[in-house]
Amino acid sequence: MKNGIEIRWHGRGGQGAKTAALLLADVAFKTGQNVQGFPEYGPERMGAPITAYNRISPDKIRVHSNIYTPDYVVVVDETLLDSVDVTAGLKEDGAIIINTSKSREEVMDKLNDYEGRVYTVDARKISVETLGKNFPNSPMLAATVAVSNVMPRETFIKEMKASYKHKFAKKPEVIAGNMKALEMAYDTVAEAIEKDMSLSA
């Protein structure tokens, strides 16, 4: 795919990796882009490793396979670093985003000498603080948008608010918490990106 980006998500059943990939496809589509968002399952049970994918492009997407050389990899559950080669095929000029309370330096030894950008975000802490429960998919979705720069922050927040209003029409009380989770995660990662850019300047 010449234009656009490809993203691979790694998570476990029940953590919302598939939902996050589908939400990203939905909001990107609303900004006029061509999109794909789809999961790949192993044994379908709670806690089992799952993979999900996104393709986002201004051009018509003619590829319909899994993604083998992603621009970005998102790891929703850090325990997968011990059992899954999450960096397989990941482009060196791309990035990996990991849900962990650890620093980038603390997880590097599990990334097979990957030399591209690495970002960590404590999605558990953010979701517990904003939602009262561990729902890592919203923070990881925001972190992914920040790193991939697939759309401006304002557009992302606006489209997600509209999406949540529809999704949670019968539970409007959860919208504010989800929006807060998105904003916190986005800004945390955006700050890390800015720091990286200033160090490399």
Side-chain angles (χ1 to χ4, degrees), residues 105-169:
E105 291 70 29
E106 290 175 297
V107 298
M108 288 303 292
D109 63 334
K110 297 184 178 182
L111 299 181
N112 301 314
D113 299 318
Y114 178 63
E115 295 182 359
R117 293 179 295 148
V118 177
Y119 295 101
T120 61
V121 58
D122 195 343
R124 178 189 178 90
K125 180 181 178 183
I126 290 172
S127 63
V128 169
E129 185 177 324
T130 57
L131 298 163
K133 293 182 180 179
N134 181 22
F135 292 125
N137 59 337
S138 282
M140 293 308 290
L141 170 59
T144 303
V145 172
V147 173
S148 66
N149 199 28
V150 70
M151 68 186 78
R153 181 188 189 278
E154 297 74 21
T155 303
F156 172 63
I157 296 300
K158 175 188 169 189
E159 294 296 347
M160 285 305 300
K161 190 168 188 177
S163 180
Y164 282 151
K165 279 184 177 179
H166 176 72
K167 183 178 180 182
F168 299 122

Side-chain angles (χ1 to χ4, degrees), residues 12 75 77-86 102 107 109-111:
R12 294 187 184 277
V75 182
D77 187 320
E78 69 173 307
T79 65
L80 292 170
L81 298 177
D82 296 317
S83 58
V84 177
D85 182 6
V86 296
K102 297 173 184 172
V107 298
D109 63 334
K110 297 184 178 182
L111 299 181

Side-chain angles (χ1 to χ4, degrees), residues 83-99:
S83 58
V84 177
D85 182 6
V86 296
T87 59
L90 178 56
K91 294 175 183 173
E92 292 292 344
D93 60 353
I96 184 167
I97 309 134
I98 304 165
N99 172 20

